[in-house]
Amino acid sequence: AQSAAPSEPPEDDGKRYRVPLGASPARGPADALVTIVEFADFECPFCRKVTPTLEALRARYPSDVRIVWKNAPLSMHAYALPLARVALTARKTRGDAGFWEAHERITALRGDFTDEIYLQLAEKLGVNEALARDLATGTQFKDELDQDDDLAEGLEVEGTPHFFINGRRAAGARS
């Protein structure tokens, strides 16, 4: 069971972790010098807060930084899992570009999510209302989401956002 982001991120323990990337959504070259694996929740305000930092890193080092997304929806966020499913649906139809478009649209939203906002967002991403409603309560992408959850548990990921930068742990929304 994951919890909300801690007020003080834990210190780097100096260990390097092997974090399998699998088929997770990624941005940046596969041979980048730095790979940042982000465990995050689409509804988490701390995850939204860190997005500009990650984008700035990609802009400054486009050939050297790769970002890999792992879903870690927190149970306290009612829309985290449905939003993850919508983003994975966008990826299924349009590849990683579709996922990252969904990511950008979701993280651009501020404030509390509602059914109306969720359905409007899904429509903008090409997901019709019937499918969006099904994604909100269904089990689509269960295997992918379970794999990310199992990996997070095995790596002792607590809260979101949580990062592994070339295998080194960093937690919390850092600048």
Side-chain angles (χ1 to χ4, degrees):
Q2 299 166 10
S3 59
S7 57
E8 289 296 320
E11 292 298 316
D12 176 11
D13 58 13
K15 296 179 186 175
R16 285 198 184 258
Y17 296 84
R18 186 170 174 349
V19 184
L21 305 181
S24 295
R27 274 184 152 166
D31 63 348
L33 295 174
V34 177
T35 297
I36 301 170
V37 179
E38 177 184 13
F39 286 84
D41 169 333
F42 279 114
E43 195 175 351
C44 172
F46 300 104
C47 296
R48 282 195 308 270
K49 182 179 176 182
V50 80
T51 296
T53 301
L54 294 172
E55 291 306 312
L57 284 170
R58 284 191 59 248
R60 186 165 182 181
Y61 306 104
S63 300
D64 297 328
V65 174
R66 179 180 192 198
I67 298 172
V68 178
W69 175 273
K70 298 285 188 181
N71 283 293
L74 302 175
S75 60
M76 63 199 270
H77 293 145
Y79 289 93
L81 194 53
L83 289 168
R85 290 186 189 122
V86 166
L88 290 171
T89 299
R91 182 178 191 225
K92 184 177 178 179
T93 58
R94 291 176 294 157
D96 280 357
F99 174 86
W100 291 107
E101 177 189 350
H103 177 276
E104 288 168 13
R105 287 182 182 264
I106 294 167
T107 57
L109 297 173
R110 300 287 183 229
D112 294 328
F113 284 93
T114 64
D115 287 350
E116 183 179 349
I117 290 170
Y118 167 75
L119 292 171
Q120 287 173 356
L121 175 69
E123 182 181 1
K124 288 178 184 175
L125 292 167
V127 178
N128 68 47
E129 184 175 338
L131 178 55
R133 288 184 186 281
D134 192 37
L135 290 169
T137 58
T139 59
Q140 298 86 339
F141 305 103
K142 181 179 181 348
D143 290 343
E144 288 175 59
L145 293 164
D146 285 350
Q147 285 174 3
D148 285 354
D149 187 54
D150 291 345
L151 181 59
E153 186 176 324
L155 292 168
E156 298 177 358
V157 168
E158 294 183 12
T160 58
H162 201 105
F163 304 94
F164 290 88
I165 304 167
N166 282 359
R168 302 234 3 215
R169 180 188 307 274
R174 298 172 180 229
S175 61

